[in-house]
Each structure stands twice: as C-alpha cells, then as structure tokens.
Amino acid sequence: MDLSRFPSFRLDGKVALVTGGSKGIGLAMACALGIHGANVVIASRNADDLQKVAEDMNNQGLKFSWIQADVTDKERVNDMIDQIVEQHGRLDILVNNAGMNIRKPLIEVEEEDWDQVLNTNLKGIFLVGQAAAKQMMKQRSGKIINISSILGGIGMPFQTSYAASKGGINQLTKVWASELSPYNINVNAIAPAYIRTPMTGAWLQDEERYKEIVRNTMMNRIGEPEDVAGPVVFLASDAANYITGHILYVDGGWTAK
Ligand code: NDP
C-alpha cells in the first residue's frame, strides 16, 4: 500500500475565512481550522469582539486575523475578499457561517423580520460565496462550506424566515457544487441541530422546550459548538476532495429519528 497517496486532514498553509467567527459555532470552527494549521481570518460586524478573539487565539499559538464586515453589504464583502488576497495571497477555505434568527408564529412575522433574516442568512451567504468563488476560480481550487441547519430540510413552528433561508442555502450549495466543480472547488453544507451559542441561549432557557429538544435527539443532549469542529476540518481538508454538494447533518441523530 502506497501511504503517500492518502490525503491529509491537516490545513497547514491554507488561508481560511470564517464569517461570524467571533462567537458561537463560527468561533469554534475558526479555532478548529487554526488548530489544524490554517491561517484564519474571522469577520463579523463588531470590531471589539473580533479583536479580543484574535488576540486570545494568537496568544494561544494560532494564526488569527480579523476584518470588520457586514455580510449584507456587497461593497464591504468584495473589499474583504480583496484584503484577504492582498494580505495572504490567496483564499483556500470559506466557512459561510454568519447568521441570525427571529422566531415568530407565521401570522406575526413582519416584513422587516423576513427581510432581516433573509438578507443576513441567504443574501449574505450569496454575496460572500460569490466574491470568494471569483478568487477560488482564479486559483482553480477551494473549499466552500455553507452553514445551514436541520431547518433547511425539516419543518418546525415559528421558523418561517429562518427555515426559508436555510432551505435556500441547501439549494445554493448544490447549484454551486455543480457549477464550481470544473474549477476544483468543493461546495458542501453543514446542517446542525440545536447548538448552545449566544443565538440559542435564551431559546434554550425554557425548560420544557429544552427537554423536548433533548428527547428529539438520539444522542440525548444539546450540541456544543465544538461538535461542529471535526466536520468543518474534514470538509475543509484534502480528505474531503471527492465530496461536493453534500449536506452534512451534525444533529446528534435528530433527522434520522
Ligand atoms: P451566534 O449568534 O452565536 O453568532 C453569530 C455570528 O454571526 C456572530 O459572530 C455575529 O457577529 C455574526 N453576524 C451576524 N450577522 C452578521 C452580519 N450581518 N454580518 C457579519 N456577521 C454577522 O450564532 P450561532 O453561532 O448560533 O450560529 C452560527 C451559524 O450557525 C448561523 O448561520 C446559524 O443559523 C447556524 N446554526 C446555528 C444553530 C444553533 O443551534 N446555534 C443550529 C443550526 C445552524 P456580529 O453580531 O458582531 O456581526
């Protein structure tokens, strides 16, 4: 057996952008990529949060830098990708993660709620994905990992705008996979169930709801941000070179039940 033919899970020398990398799942994924050797750029709207995280990670021996950017602002998004290429010479991995939620019963959803969620979760993913793809096509290589949700594929109450945005992300993932595969760019999605983060903190405080979520999960527990670390490293690495257009559920068995 020729062991040199086996691909590596290491990411040394790769340049990765994680949007929404200052908190929650984005931060855990950024750390995981950094631990595996990537040069990580985190981006979000709050510069103080970004700076603190980058300092902390650099003090712990990782290679982190940050860019303040709102993913709904096309000009800013394009500048962000240009800045990364200027500073690092390339962009190998995009983790398209920035997102938000406004949970309301259908009949109470305001047009502004819908616009805010769809602008961040779907338009934002599109804008960052498009700008990153332009660079990756020049390089003829890249990995795009969109962060979806189990709500991209199943229904649950009070998730009108969010589920619509995540279903859209699943479709974008498949369309981009087919369009970008000639350029050696893999496009996949990770679809987590409930993960304990600032986004879900208040929602999970309701004891009944919490118990119901745990009951629905084969693994019998809520997910932690670190549960998404292994899947993102795998999809970002050469070990996943023959996987594209895939929605990887990280849900403790929720959708298999
Ligand atoms: P958090 O609220 O903990 O973190 C969201 C991150 O996105 C923050 O860094 C935030 O920073 C950034 N962000 C939000 N809006 C924008 C914007 N317009 N431009 C740039 N950055 C932005 O969320 P989670 O970690 O829980 O969620 C991360 C992703 O995972 C989301 O896409 C979410 O839908 C998905 N997900 C989460 C699940 C969960 O249970 N937590 C389950 C399934 C999917 P700032 O506010 O400073 O901009």
Side-chain angles (χ1 to χ4, degrees), residues 17-22 40-52 54 64-84 87 98 128:
L17 166 64
V18 182
T19 65
S22 62
V40 182
V41 183
I42 51 172
S44 68
R45 292 166 302 180
N46 186 311
D48 289 343
D49 288 351
L50 290 165
Q51 191 174 5
K52 272 187 212 134
F64 264 56
S65 55
W66 58 274
I67 299 177
Q68 183 183 24
D70 183 332
V71 295
T72 65
D73 178 343
K74 182 175 176 176
E75 212 174 307
R76 191 70 201 106
V77 165
N78 290 339
D79 285 350
M80 168 174 71
I81 301 297
D82 288 348
Q83 209 177 315
I84 292 170
Q87 279 173 6
V128 182

CSV table of all heavy atoms in Angstrom, one decimal, residues 17-22 40-52 54 64-84 87 98 128:
chain,number,residue,atom,x,y,z
A,17,LEU,N,-11.4,31.8,5.6
A,17,LEU,CA,-12.2,32.9,6.1
A,17,LEU,C,-13.4,32.3,6.8
A,17,LEU,O,-14.1,31.4,6.2
A,17,LEU,CB,-12.7,33.8,4.9
A,17,LEU,CG,-13.8,34.8,5.2
A,17,LEU,CD1,-13.5,35.8,6.3
A,17,LEU,CD2,-14.3,35.4,3.9
A,18,VAL,N,-13.7,32.7,8.0
A,18,VAL,CA,-14.9,32.3,8.7
A,18,VAL,C,-15.8,33.5,9.0
A,18,VAL,O,-15.4,34.4,9.8
A,18,VAL,CB,-14.6,31.6,10.0
A,18,VAL,CG1,-15.9,31.1,10.7
A,18,VAL,CG2,-13.6,30.4,9.8
A,19,THR,N,-16.9,33.7,8.3
A,19,THR,CA,-17.8,34.8,8.7
A,19,THR,C,-18.5,34.4,10.0
A,19,THR,O,-18.8,33.3,10.2
A,19,THR,CB,-18.8,35.1,7.5
A,19,THR,OG1,-19.7,34.0,7.4
A,19,THR,CG2,-18.1,35.3,6.2
A,20,GLY,N,-18.8,35.5,10.7
A,20,GLY,CA,-19.5,35.2,12.0
A,20,GLY,C,-18.5,34.4,12.9
A,20,GLY,O,-19.0,33.6,13.8
A,21,GLY,N,-17.2,34.7,12.8
A,21,GLY,CA,-16.2,33.9,13.5
A,21,GLY,C,-15.9,34.4,14.9
A,21,GLY,O,-15.0,33.9,15.6
A,22,SER,N,-16.7,35.4,15.4
A,22,SER,CA,-16.4,36.0,16.7
A,22,SER,C,-17.1,35.3,17.8
A,22,SER,O,-16.8,35.6,19.0
A,22,SER,CB,-16.8,37.5,16.7
A,22,SER,OG,-18.2,37.6,16.5
A,40,VAL,N,-6.2,31.8,9.8
A,40,VAL,CA,-7.7,32.0,9.9
A,40,VAL,C,-8.0,33.5,9.9
A,40,VAL,O,-7.4,34.2,10.8
A,40,VAL,CB,-8.3,31.3,11.1
A,40,VAL,CG1,-9.8,31.6,11.2
A,40,VAL,CG2,-8.0,29.9,11.1
A,41,VAL,N,-8.9,33.9,9.1
A,41,VAL,CA,-9.4,35.3,9.1
A,41,VAL,C,-10.9,35.2,9.6
A,41,VAL,O,-11.7,34.5,9.0
A,41,VAL,CB,-9.4,36.0,7.7
A,41,VAL,CG1,-9.9,37.4,7.8
A,41,VAL,CG2,-8.0,35.9,7.1
A,42,ILE,N,-11.2,35.9,10.7
A,42,ILE,CA,-12.6,35.9,11.1
A,42,ILE,C,-13.2,37.3,10.8
A,42,ILE,O,-12.5,38.3,10.8
A,42,ILE,CB,-12.7,35.7,12.7
A,42,ILE,CG1,-11.8,36.6,13.5
A,42,ILE,CG2,-12.4,34.2,13.0
A,42,ILE,CD1,-12.0,36.5,15.0
A,43,ALA,N,-14.5,37.3,10.5
A,43,ALA,CA,-15.2,38.5,10.1
A,43,ALA,C,-16.5,38.6,10.7
A,43,ALA,O,-17.2,37.5,10.8
A,43,ALA,CB,-15.3,38.6,8.6
A,44,SER,N,-16.9,39.7,11.2
A,44,SER,CA,-18.3,40.0,11.7
A,44,SER,C,-18.4,41.5,11.8
A,44,SER,O,-17.5,42.3,11.4
A,44,SER,CB,-18.6,39.3,13.0
A,44,SER,OG,-17.8,39.8,14.0
A,45,ARG,N,-19.5,42.0,12.4
A,45,ARG,CA,-19.7,43.4,12.5
A,45,ARG,C,-19.1,44.1,13.7
A,45,ARG,O,-18.7,45.3,13.6
A,45,ARG,CB,-21.3,43.7,12.5
A,45,ARG,CG,-22.0,43.3,11.2
A,45,ARG,CD,-23.4,43.3,11.4
A,45,ARG,NE,-23.8,42.3,12.5
A,45,ARG,CZ,-25.1,42.1,12.9
A,45,ARG,NH1,-26.1,42.7,12.3
A,45,ARG,NH2,-25.3,41.2,13.8
A,46,ASN,N,-18.9,43.4,14.8
A,46,ASN,CA,-18.4,44.0,16.0
A,46,ASN,C,-16.9,43.9,16.1
A,46,ASN,O,-16.3,42.8,16.4
A,46,ASN,CB,-19.1,43.4,17.2
A,46,ASN,CG,-18.7,44.1,18.5
A,46,ASN,OD1,-17.6,44.3,18.8
A,46,ASN,ND2,-19.7,44.5,19.3
A,47,ALA,N,-16.2,45.0,15.9
A,47,ALA,CA,-14.7,45.0,15.8
A,47,ALA,C,-14.1,44.6,17.2
A,47,ALA,O,-13.1,43.9,17.2
A,47,ALA,CB,-14.2,46.4,15.4
A,48,ASP,N,-14.7,45.1,18.3
A,48,ASP,CA,-14.1,44.7,19.6
A,48,ASP,C,-14.1,43.2,19.8
A,48,ASP,O,-13.1,42.7,20.3
A,48,ASP,CB,-15.0,45.4,20.7
A,48,ASP,CG,-14.8,46.9,20.7
A,48,ASP,OD1,-13.8,47.4,20.1
A,48,ASP,OD2,-15.6,47.6,21.3
A,49,ASP,N,-15.3,42.6,19.5
A,49,ASP,CA,-15.3,41.1,19.7
A,49,ASP,C,-14.2,40.4,18.8
A,49,ASP,O,-13.5,39.5,19.3
A,49,ASP,CB,-16.7,40.6,19.2
A,49,ASP,CG,-17.8,40.9,20.1
A,49,ASP,OD1,-17.5,41.4,21.2
A,49,ASP,OD2,-19.0,40.7,19.7
A,50,LEU,N,-14.1,40.9,17.6
A,50,LEU,CA,-13.1,40.3,16.7
A,50,LEU,C,-11.7,40.4,17.2
A,50,LEU,O,-10.9,39.4,17.2
A,50,LEU,CB,-13.2,40.9,15.3
A,50,LEU,CG,-14.5,40.6,14.5
A,50,LEU,CD1,-14.6,41.6,13.3
A,50,LEU,CD2,-14.5,39.2,14.0
A,51,GLN,N,-11.4,41.6,17.7
A,51,GLN,CA,-10.1,41.9,18.1
A,51,GLN,C,-9.7,41.0,19.4
A,51,GLN,O,-8.6,40.4,19.4
A,51,GLN,CB,-10.0,43.4,18.5
A,51,GLN,CG,-8.5,43.8,18.7
A,51,GLN,CD,-8.4,45.3,18.9
A,51,GLN,OE1,-9.4,46.0,19.0
A,51,GLN,NE2,-7.2,45.8,19.1
A,52,LYS,N,-10.7,40.9,20.3
A,52,LYS,CA,-10.5,40.1,21.5
A,52,LYS,C,-10.2,38.7,21.2
A,52,LYS,O,-9.3,38.0,21.7
A,52,LYS,CB,-11.7,40.2,22.4
A,52,LYS,CG,-11.6,41.4,23.4
A,52,LYS,CD,-12.8,41.3,24.4
A,52,LYS,CE,-13.2,42.8,24.8
A,52,LYS,NZ,-14.6,43.1,24.8
A,54,ALA,N,-9.2,37.4,18.3
A,54,ALA,CA,-8.0,37.2,17.5
A,54,ALA,C,-6.8,37.2,18.5
A,54,ALA,O,-5.8,36.4,18.4
A,54,ALA,CB,-7.8,38.2,16.4
A,64,PHE,N,-4.4,34.0,13.7
A,64,PHE,CA,-5.7,34.6,13.5
A,64,PHE,C,-5.5,36.1,13.1
A,64,PHE,O,-4.6,36.8,13.6
A,64,PHE,CB,-6.5,34.6,14.8
A,64,PHE,CG,-7.5,33.5,14.9
A,64,PHE,CD1,-7.0,32.2,14.8
A,64,PHE,CD2,-8.8,33.7,15.2
A,64,PHE,CE1,-7.9,31.1,15.0
A,64,PHE,CE2,-9.7,32.7,15.3
A,64,PHE,CZ,-9.3,31.4,15.2
A,65,SER,N,-6.4,36.5,12.2
A,65,SER,CA,-6.5,38.0,11.9
A,65,SER,C,-8.0,38.2,11.7
A,65,SER,O,-8.8,37.3,11.7
A,65,SER,CB,-5.7,38.4,10.7
A,65,SER,OG,-6.0,37.6,9.6
A,66,TRP,N,-8.4,39.5,11.6
A,66,TRP,CA,-9.8,39.8,11.6
A,66,TRP,C,-10.1,41.0,10.7
A,66,TRP,O,-9.2,41.8,10.4
A,66,TRP,CB,-10.4,40.1,13.0
A,66,TRP,CG,-9.7,41.2,13.7
A,66,TRP,CD1,-8.6,41.2,14.5
A,66,TRP,CD2,-10.1,42.6,13.7
A,66,TRP,NE1,-8.3,42.4,15.0
A,66,TRP,CE2,-9.2,43.3,14.5
A,66,TRP,CE3,-11.2,43.3,13.2
A,66,TRP,CZ2,-9.3,44.7,14.8
A,66,TRP,CZ3,-11.3,44.7,13.4
A,66,TRP,CH2,-10.4,45.3,14.2
A,67,ILE,N,-11.3,41.0,10.1
A,67,ILE,CA,-11.8,42.0,9.3
A,67,ILE,C,-13.2,42.3,9.7
A,67,ILE,O,-14.1,41.4,9.8
A,67,ILE,CB,-11.8,41.6,7.8
A,67,ILE,CG1,-10.4,41.3,7.3
A,67,ILE,CG2,-12.4,42.7,6.9
A,67,ILE,CD1,-10.3,40.8,5.9
A,68,GLN,N,-13.5,43.6,9.9
A,68,GLN,CA,-14.9,44.0,10.3
A,68,GLN,C,-15.7,44.1,9.0
A,68,GLN,O,-15.3,44.8,8.0
A,68,GLN,CB,-14.9,45.4,10.9
A,68,GLN,CG,-16.2,45.8,11.4
A,68,GLN,CD,-16.2,47.2,12.0
A,68,GLN,OE1,-15.3,48.0,11.7
A,68,GLN,NE2,-17.1,47.5,12.8
A,69,ALA,N,-16.8,43.3,8.9
A,69,ALA,CA,-17.6,43.4,7.7
A,69,ALA,C,-19.0,42.9,8.0
A,69,ALA,O,-19.2,42.0,8.7
A,69,ALA,CB,-17.0,42.5,6.6
A,70,ASP,N,-19.9,43.6,7.3
A,70,ASP,CA,-21.3,43.2,7.4
A,70,ASP,C,-21.6,42.4,6.1
A,70,ASP,O,-21.4,42.9,5.0
A,70,ASP,CB,-22.2,44.4,7.5
A,70,ASP,CG,-23.7,44.1,7.6
A,70,ASP,OD1,-24.1,43.0,7.1
A,70,ASP,OD2,-24.4,44.9,8.2
A,71,VAL,N,-22.0,41.1,6.3
A,71,VAL,CA,-22.1,40.3,5.1
A,71,VAL,C,-23.3,40.7,4.1
A,71,VAL,O,-23.4,40.2,3.0
A,71,VAL,CB,-22.3,38.8,5.4
A,71,VAL,CG1,-21.1,38.2,6.1
A,71,VAL,CG2,-23.6,38.5,6.2
A,72,THR,N,-24.1,41.6,4.6
A,72,THR,CA,-25.2,42.1,3.7
A,72,THR,C,-24.8,43.2,2.8
A,72,THR,O,-25.5,43.7,2.0
A,72,THR,CB,-26.4,42.5,4.5
A,72,THR,OG1,-26.1,43.6,5.3
A,72,THR,CG2,-26.9,41.4,5.4
A,73,ASP,N,-23.5,43.7,3.0
A,73,ASP,CA,-23.0,44.9,2.3
A,73,ASP,C,-22.1,44.4,1.2
A,73,ASP,O,-20.9,44.1,1.5
A,73,ASP,CB,-22.3,45.8,3.3
A,73,ASP,CG,-21.7,47.0,2.7
A,73,ASP,OD1,-21.5,47.1,1.5
A,73,ASP,OD2,-21.4,48.0,3.5
A,74,LYS,N,-22.6,44.5,0.0
A,74,LYS,CA,-21.8,43.9,-1.2
A,74,LYS,C,-20.4,44.5,-1.3
A,74,LYS,O,-19.4,43.8,-1.5
A,74,LYS,CB,-22.6,44.1,-2.4
A,74,LYS,CG,-22.0,43.5,-3.7
A,74,LYS,CD,-22.8,43.5,-4.9
A,74,LYS,CE,-22.0,43.0,-6.0
A,74,LYS,NZ,-22.7,42.9,-7.3
A,75,GLU,N,-20.4,45.8,-1.2
A,75,GLU,CA,-19.1,46.5,-1.4
A,75,GLU,C,-18.1,46.1,-0.3
A,75,GLU,O,-16.9,45.8,-0.6
A,75,GLU,CB,-19.3,48.0,-1.3
A,75,GLU,CG,-18.4,48.8,-2.2
A,75,GLU,CD,-18.8,50.3,-2.2
A,75,GLU,OE1,-20.0,50.6,-2.4
A,75,GLU,OE2,-17.9,51.1,-1.8
A,76,ARG,N,-18.6,46.0,0.9
A,76,ARG,CA,-17.7,45.6,2.0
A,76,ARG,C,-17.2,44.2,1.9
A,76,ARG,O,-16.1,43.8,2.2
A,76,ARG,CB,-18.5,45.8,3.3
A,76,ARG,CG,-17.7,45.7,4.6
A,76,ARG,CD,-16.7,46.9,4.8
A,76,ARG,NE,-15.7,46.5,5.7
A,76,ARG,CZ,-14.4,46.3,5.3
A,76,ARG,NH1,-14.1,46.4,4.0
A,76,ARG,NH2,-13.5,45.9,6.2
A,77,VAL,N,-18.1,43.3,1.4
A,77,VAL,CA,-17.8,41.9,1.2
A,77,VAL,C,-16.7,41.8,0.2
A,77,VAL,O,-15.7,41.1,0.3
A,77,VAL,CB,-19.1,41.1,0.8
A,77,VAL,CG1,-18.7,39.8,0.2
A,77,VAL,CG2,-20.0,41.0,2.0
A,78,ASN,N,-16.9,42.5,-0.9
A,78,ASN,CA,-15.9,42.4,-2.0
A,78,ASN,C,-14.5,43.0,-1.5
A,78,ASN,O,-13.4,42.4,-1.8
A,78,ASN,CB,-16.3,43.2,-3.3
A,78,ASN,CG,-17.5,42.5,-3.9
A,78,ASN,OD1,-17.7,41.3,-3.7
A,78,ASN,ND2,-18.3,43.2,-4.7
A,79,ASP,N,-14.6,44.1,-0.7
A,79,ASP,CA,-13.3,44.6,-0.2
A,79,ASP,C,-12.6,43.6,0.8
A,79,ASP,O,-11.4,43.5,0.8
A,79,ASP,CB,-13.6,45.9,0.7
A,79,ASP,CG,-13.9,47.1,-0.2
A,79,ASP,OD1,-13.7,47.0,-1.4
A,79,ASP,OD2,-14.4,48.1,0.4
A,80,MET,N,-13.5,42.9,1.5
A,80,MET,CA,-13.0,41.9,2.5
A,80,MET,C,-12.2,40.8,1.7
A,80,MET,O,-11.0,40.5,2.2
A,80,MET,CB,-14.1,41.3,3.3
A,80,MET,CG,-13.8,40.1,4.1
A,80,MET,SD,-15.1,39.5,5.1
A,80,MET,CE,-16.3,38.8,3.9
A,81,ILE,N,-12.7,40.3,0.7
A,81,ILE,CA,-12.0,39.3,-0.1
A,81,ILE,C,-10.7,39.8,-0.7
A,81,ILE,O,-9.7,39.2,-0.6
A,81,ILE,CB,-12.9,38.6,-1.2
A,81,ILE,CG1,-14.2,38.1,-0.5
A,81,ILE,CG2,-12.2,37.6,-2.0
A,81,ILE,CD1,-14.0,36.9,0.4
A,82,ASP,N,-10.8,41.1,-1.2
A,82,ASP,CA,-9.6,41.7,-1.8
A,82,ASP,C,-8.5,41.9,-0.8
A,82,ASP,O,-7.3,41.6,-1.0
A,82,ASP,CB,-9.9,43.1,-2.4
A,82,ASP,CG,-10.8,43.0,-3.6
A,82,ASP,OD1,-10.9,41.9,-4.2
A,82,ASP,OD2,-11.3,44.1,-4.0
A,83,GLN,N,-8.9,42.3,0.4
A,83,GLN,CA,-8.0,42.5,1.5
A,83,GLN,C,-7.3,41.2,1.9
A,83,GLN,O,-6.1,41.1,2.2
A,83,GLN,CB,-8.8,43.0,2.7
A,83,GLN,CG,-8.0,43.9,3.7
A,83,GLN,CD,-8.9,44.4,4.8
A,83,GLN,OE1,-10.0,44.9,4.5
A,83,GLN,NE2,-8.4,44.4,6.0
A,84,ILE,N,-8.1,40.1,2.0
A,84,ILE,CA,-7.5,38.8,2.3
A,84,ILE,C,-6.5,38.4,1.3
A,84,ILE,O,-5.4,37.9,1.6
A,84,ILE,CB,-8.6,37.7,2.5
A,84,ILE,CG1,-9.5,38.0,3.7
A,84,ILE,CG2,-8.0,36.3,2.6
A,84,ILE,CD1,-10.8,37.2,3.8
A,87,GLN,N,-3.3,40.4,1.6
A,87,GLN,CA,-2.5,40.1,2.8
A,87,GLN,C,-1.9,38.7,2.8
A,87,GLN,O,-0.8,38.5,3.2
A,87,GLN,CB,-3.4,40.2,4.1
A,87,GLN,CG,-3.5,41.7,4.5
A,87,GLN,CD,-4.4,41.9,5.7
A,87,GLN,OE1,-4.9,40.9,6.3
A,87,GLN,NE2,-4.7,43.1,6.1
A,98,ALA,N,-22.0,33.3,9.0
A,98,ALA,CA,-22.7,34.4,9.7
A,98,ALA,C,-24.2,34.2,9.5
A,98,ALA,O,-24.7,34.0,8.4
A,98,ALA,CB,-22.3,35.8,9.2
A,128,VAL,N,-21.0,36.6,-0.1
A,128,VAL,CA,-19.6,36.2,0.3
A,128,VAL,C,-19.2,35.0,-0.6
A,128,VAL,O,-18.1,34.9,-1.0
A,128,VAL,CB,-19.6,35.8,1.8
A,128,VAL,CG1,-18.2,35.4,2.2
A,128,VAL,CG2,-20.1,37.0,2.7
